[in-house]
Amino acid sequence: MQIVTMAEPDLPPELRAQIEALQEQAWPGGGPHDPALRPVAVLLLAPDGGVRAALDILSKEIIHEGRSYRASGLSAVVTDAAHRGKGYGRRLVAAARELIADGGAVDVGLFTCDRPLQGFYESAGWTALPGTVLIGGTPQDPFPSDRPGFDKVTMAAFFTARARRDAAAFERCRIGLYPGEVDRLW
C-alpha cells in the first residue's frame, strides 16, 4: 500500500472517479470542496492502483480570541466498504496528521467527527478538545457543530510552539471556522 497526496485540482480522472465512488458510499450527493480551502487529497493506493481509503485536508486562516492561526482539518475521511477493518483508515488519518505537521505551514489542526469515532481519531494521534464547538458556514449563516441532531466531538493537534502555548484557549469554547457555503464544516 502506498500513500499519495496531491492537490485536488491535479487528481487524474481515474483517481477522482474512485474517490467520488468511495465518498458516495458514505455521503450520497456530496460534491467537490471549495477551492479557496486549498483541498489536498490523501489516498491509500493498493498495488493495483485501487483507492482503498481517501481523505481531504482543507486549510485556511482562522481568528480565535483575537489571534490569527493557520488551520487545517480533515474532511471526507472514507475507507472502501469492502476493505474496512484492516487499519487502512487509521493509517491514512495518522499519515495526514504527519503531513500537516511536517509541512510547517499550519499552526493547528481542527475538525469534528461523530462521537463514536473519537477513539479512532485518537489512535491516529489526534486529541479531543472537551467542550469545544466548531462553527462552520459563514458569519451570516453559522453552522455550529453542536446544532440539534449532531453528536460531534472536536479533534485537534497543535503543530507550532505558539499553538501549543495557546492550546488551552481552544478548550471549552466556540471556534469560528467559517469555511463558507460549500464546505459548511470540514
Side-chain angles (χ1 to χ4, degrees):
M1 295 289 178
Q2 176 186 10
I3 294 176
V4 174
T5 64
M6 63 183 64
E8 194 174 80
D10 298 336
L11 285 168
E14 64 276 3
L15 288 180
R16 182 181 309 279
Q18 288 185 62
I19 294 165
E20 288 171 358
L22 288 181
Q23 291 172 343
E24 189 69 18
Q25 289 177 8
W27 311 282
H33 293 293
D34 183 341
L37 299 173
R38 304 182 310 274
V40 173
V42 184
L43 313 173
L44 183 65
L45 297 180
D48 66 3
V51 177
R52 296 296 184 255
L55 63 80
D56 297 312
I57 298 172
L58 305 179
S59 302
K60 73 176 298 239
E61 184 177 309
I62 64 168
I63 306 295
H64 180 61
E65 294 195 359
R67 298 192 73 179
S68 174
Y69 297 92
R70 299 162 299 170
S72 287
L74 305 186
S75 182
V77 178
V78 64
T79 300
D80 186 341
H83 296 281
R84 290 188 183 143
K86 299 177 182 177
Y88 295 160
R90 186 198 169 287
R91 179 175 170 192
L92 196 63
V93 168
R97 187 189 180 288
E98 292 306 311
L99 286 165
I100 296 169
D102 293 346
V106 173
D107 297 305
V108 61
L110 294 167
F111 64 95
T112 61
C113 69
D114 294 335
R115 189 168 304 281
L117 295 174
Q118 177 180 337
F120 165 77
Y121 286 102
E122 287 174 333
S123 75
W126 296 88
T127 302
L129 289 177
T132 299
V133 173
L134 293 185
I135 304 172
T138 66
Q140 300 77 25
D141 186 19
F143 188 85
S145 64
D146 66 347
R147 63 187 285 206
F150 274 26
D151 188 19
K152 301 289 183 183
V153 175
T154 299
M155 305 303 294
F158 300 95
F159 300 113
T160 62
R162 179 175 74 99
R164 286 189 292 276
R165 281 192 308 271
D166 295 348
F170 286 84
E171 293 182 12
R172 301 188 197 309
C173 64
R174 299 176 80 77
I175 300 170
L177 185 61
Y178 302 122
E181 291 296 329
V182 175
D183 292 282
R184 307 255 318 145
L185 276 173
W186 65 31

